[in-house]
Amino acid sequence: MAGTGAFADIFDGDAYKYYSDGEWKKSSSGKTVAIINPTTRKTQYKVQACTQEEVNKVMDLAKTAQKSWAKTPLWKRAELLHKAAAILKEHKAPIAECLVKEIAKPAKDSVTEVVRSGDLVSYCAEEGVRILGEGKFLVSDSFPGNERTKYCLTSKVPLGVILAIPPFNYPVNLAVSKIAPALIAGNSLVLKPPTQGAVSCLHMVHCFHLAGFPKGLISCVTGKGSEIGDFLTMHPGVNCISFTGGDTGIAISKKAGMIPLQMELGGKDACIVLEDADLDLVASNIIKGGFSYSGQRCTAVKVVLVMESVADALVEKVKAKVAKLTVGAPEDDSDITPVVSESSANFIEGLVKDAKEKGATFCQEYKREGNLIWPLLLDNVRPDMRIAWEEPFGPVLPVIRINSIEEGIHHCNASNFGLQGCVFTKDVNKAILISDAMETGTVQINSAPARGPDHFPFQGLKDSGIGSQGVTNSINMMTKIKTTVINLPTPSYTMG
Ligand code: G3H
């Protein structure tokens, strides 16, 4: 159970503690932040409201701990990560319990998130020992005018202190996708969890604690964004920020110093459906892509662009599948669960009302109880409706009927987002042409958008982000190249 047994140290009976210097502590502020259960809409947990002084302290500790961690052999760093991964998987039940209660993720998906996270940590350890164990050797005589008098050796060195800020929808998985690459590459790590999802993160961090990482190397500060948000992202001790979330990321990128940034800020992933598509396959993928975790995924299908000639048939198939989705509590493993907060539900409702006023066809009746919104397919959506462009982050999916492939590509590319997209057709040649024309970080052919498997590169264009994630890219992003050049007094040619 959460906060008990192996996790007893992280809870004081009333509130969860924060993690600094290898210990679980109460904030000197004496204040806590409440976490509201999206289902009951009552306070479920409390976490420490850390102060700026406490942030300064973890930054100092992170800087010191990183120096000796960078001198820890790579295989030892990997060994500790493997240990943390095993502990994380062993404790999947209490962590999943927190996910269910603080972000209303369905029970089975919550377990999957923890297991996937353990696998990601192990994969990262494996990949790290390979790619960080290799460098380049260059010789000077390949560049015009040079003799072979210089040998250049390159290696990858850590950046220093990495600040990781994951979002509420994958607080554990998107935290470890930042923590594991940072650590294997020899960096230290300061984690600022989202408020909703913080307790799941604290349990996950405790698994790293139990694995025996050095004191100060990993810290986790909780609290109000207004108190420590900007303070963290603008802190001079931070050498790199890895952020996943909403447009806060744009503000962070404007305020951060001259440090590498990795950002993933959402999407409006389009699903383009051609006349020859397998409509049963499309319908299943629209359900999975549009409605899993109630549409609260940056990679969710967020607009269907279907050729008019097959639109009626597709809409009927999707409607039939929507009718089968179960709606209710995450504990019951319902397909559709309450969205994360009342403000989120209100925002979604605003998009629905706008579509109603402007004449969209409602394939189901709009229904909401508290934060629970029933799945809704909106047909005949037009570009003047907000839902055509904005991310609901909820179980509401617009269908726009198109008369040409160009119209679909144009709609996709007119979005300020460019995360992923998908195209359904049996004609692979057309699929490739469409994929090349879509201005998104990834295009899936005949499947819904998705980040995983977690070692695949994952990146967004335009307002969807900066840099590329995925295990290898994240490790590389959290290092910089260091070169040593050996200068020879006379040219030396191999076997010469
Ligand atoms: O919400 C953003 C996540 O990166 C999406 O991950 O495609 O595995 O659901 P997912």
Side-chain angles (χ1 to χ4, degrees):
M1 215 182 127
T4 62
F7 296 100
D9 284 353
I10 78 173
F11 187 50
D12 76 357
D14 176 51
Y16 280 88
K17 302 178 200 166
Y18 78 103
Y19 187 62
S20 166
D21 204 11
E23 287 169 22
W24 291 96
K25 299 179 177 176
K26 289 173 78 167
S27 170
S28 61
S29 72
K31 291 185 196 149
T32 56
V33 177
I35 298 173
I36 309 296
N37 180 322
T39 312
T40 63
R41 293 190 288 153
K42 296 201 170 98
T43 297
Q44 180 71 49
Y45 301 123
K46 287 183 209 161
V47 292
Q48 304 299 313
C50 290
T51 64
Q52 296 184 352
E53 290 68 38
E54 284 156 349
V55 169
N56 282 334
K57 179 76 183 159
V58 300
M59 289 298 172
D60 282 350
L61 291 163
K63 193 170 177 183
T64 308
Q66 191 269 328
K67 301 273 178 234
S68 40
W69 180 243
K71 293 179 192 146
T72 304
L74 187 50
W75 68 265
K76 276 196 185 173
R77 289 185 229 153
E79 203 171 72
L80 276 176
L81 282 168
H82 281 301
K83 203 169 165 193
I87 297 171
L88 194 59
K89 283 168 133 181
E90 185 192 335
H91 295 294
K92 59 182 184 290
I95 303 174
E97 175 196 327
C98 301
L99 290 168
V100 166
K101 288 184 175 154
E102 56 182 348
I103 62 163
K105 186 168 273 194
K108 267 193 207 142
D109 294 350
S110 295
V111 173
T112 304
E113 176 170 346
V114 183
V115 174
R116 172 182 179 182
S117 301
D119 291 340
L120 194 161
V121 174
S122 291
Y123 193 100
C124 201
E126 289 288 333
E127 185 74 349
V129 292
R130 306 281 167 255
I131 65 172
L132 296 165
E134 282 181 354
K136 270 190 179 173
F137 171 57
L138 291 94
V139 287
S140 51
D141 64 313
S142 55
F143 199 86
N146 284 270
E147 287 287 357
R148 193 167 161 129
T149 51
K150 291 174 187 286
Y151 289 175
C152 177
L153 309 172
T154 77
S155 56
K156 289 171 190 157
V157 295
L159 295 176
V161 180
I162 311 289
L163 173 63
I165 310 181
F168 82 83
N169 62 345
Y170 284 96
V172 175
N173 182 261
L174 282 168
V176 302
S177 76
K178 304 170 192 315
I179 295 172
L183 295 180
I184 193 68
N187 298 288
S188 57
L189 194 287
V190 174
L191 175 66
K192 165 65 178 77
T195 297
Q196 217 99 14
V199 175
S200 312
C201 273
L202 293 168
H203 282 75
M204 174 273 294
V205 167
H206 193 55
C207 295
F208 282 78
H209 169 83
L210 294 173
F213 282 88
K215 284 182 174 205
L217 187 71
I218 305 169
S219 313
C220 184
V221 285
T222 52
K224 292 198 168 130
S226 55
E227 179 69 21
I228 58 168
D230 279 356
F231 192 74
L232 271 163
T233 54
M234 294 165 74
H235 200 285
V238 172
N239 304 112
C240 165
I241 302 175
S242 179
F243 174 92
T244 307
D247 14 337
T248 315
I250 297 177
I252 292 174
S253 69
K254 287 183 181 147
K255 289 180 203 159
M258 203 174 72
I259 54 172
L261 301 176
Q262 186 182 50
M263 302 248 157
E264 198 268 279
L265 315 178
K268 183 74 183 169
D269 294 6
C271 171
I272 299 182
V273 186
L274 305 195
E275 290 101 335
D276 68 341
D278 173 344
L279 296 186
D280 290 312
L281 178 74
V282 182
S284 308
N285 274 277
I286 286 176
I287 293 295
K288 188 176 95 187
F291 296 103
S292 54
Y293 188 36
S294 307
Q296 297 174 111
R297 296 167 52 237
C298 52
T299 49
V301 169
K302 297 206 180 97
V303 58
V304 177
L305 301 162
V306 55
M307 292 298 279
E308 179 69 61
S309 58
V310 291
D312 284 345
L314 180 65
V315 167
E316 279 314 307
K317 284 180 191 289
V318 178
K319 258 169 81 172
K321 287 183 185 293
V322 167
K324 289 190 184 145
L325 291 172
T326 55
V327 181
E331 286 84 354
D332 300 335
D333 220 22
S334 306
D335 297 317
I336 304 294
T337 54
V339 296
V340 72
S341 64
E342 190 176 344
S343 62
S344 177
N346 291 343
F347 176 76
I348 297 163
E349 187 162 295
L351 295 179
V352 171
K353 281 185 176 160
D354 175 77
K356 181 103 193 157
E357 280 159 22
K358 292 176 182 158
T361 306
F362 279 51
C363 298
Q364 298 80 20
E365 196 188 334
Y366 173 65
K367 192 172 164 195
R368 170 181 171 186
E369 276 172 19
N371 296 346
L372 186 61
I373 292 177
W374 269 249
L376 180 60
L377 188 70
L378 298 174
D379 195 4
N380 295 304
V381 165
R382 291 191 319 269
D384 63 326
M385 300 176 191
R386 287 175 56 204
I387 192 79
W389 305 105
E390 296 181 42
E391 260 197 301
F393 236 68
V396 178
L397 182 60
V399 176
I400 297 181
R401 293 167 176 240
I402 54 172
N403 291 299
S404 67
I405 294 174
E406 289 69 27
E407 202 183 328
I409 292 170
H410 177 265
H411 186 93
C412 167
N413 291 351
S415 171
N416 59 319
F417 289 116
L419 188 59
Q420 291 208 358
C422 59
V423 54
F424 285 85
T425 173
K426 293 192 186 98
D427 184 337
V428 72
N429 297 325
K430 271 189 193 163
I432 297 293
L433 289 174
I434 294 169
S435 168
D436 284 347
M438 287 170 81
E439 293 169 5
T440 61
T442 301
V443 174
Q444 304 269 349
I445 296 174
N446 292 324
S447 187
R451 172 167 49 105
D454 287 338
H455 67 304
F456 279 14
F458 180 54
Q459 54 283 316
L461 307 183
K462 299 187 269 186
D463 286 354
S464 285
I466 306 173
S468 179
Q469 301 174 64
V471 170
T472 312
N473 286 346
S474 292
I475 296 172
N476 283 332
M477 183 265 173
M478 291 175 186
T479 60
K480 57 186 158 193
I481 302 290
K482 165 81 191 277
T483 58
T484 299
V485 180
I486 301 165
N487 289 276
L488 304 174
T490 51
S492 178
Y493 287 86
T494 311
M495 306 296 285

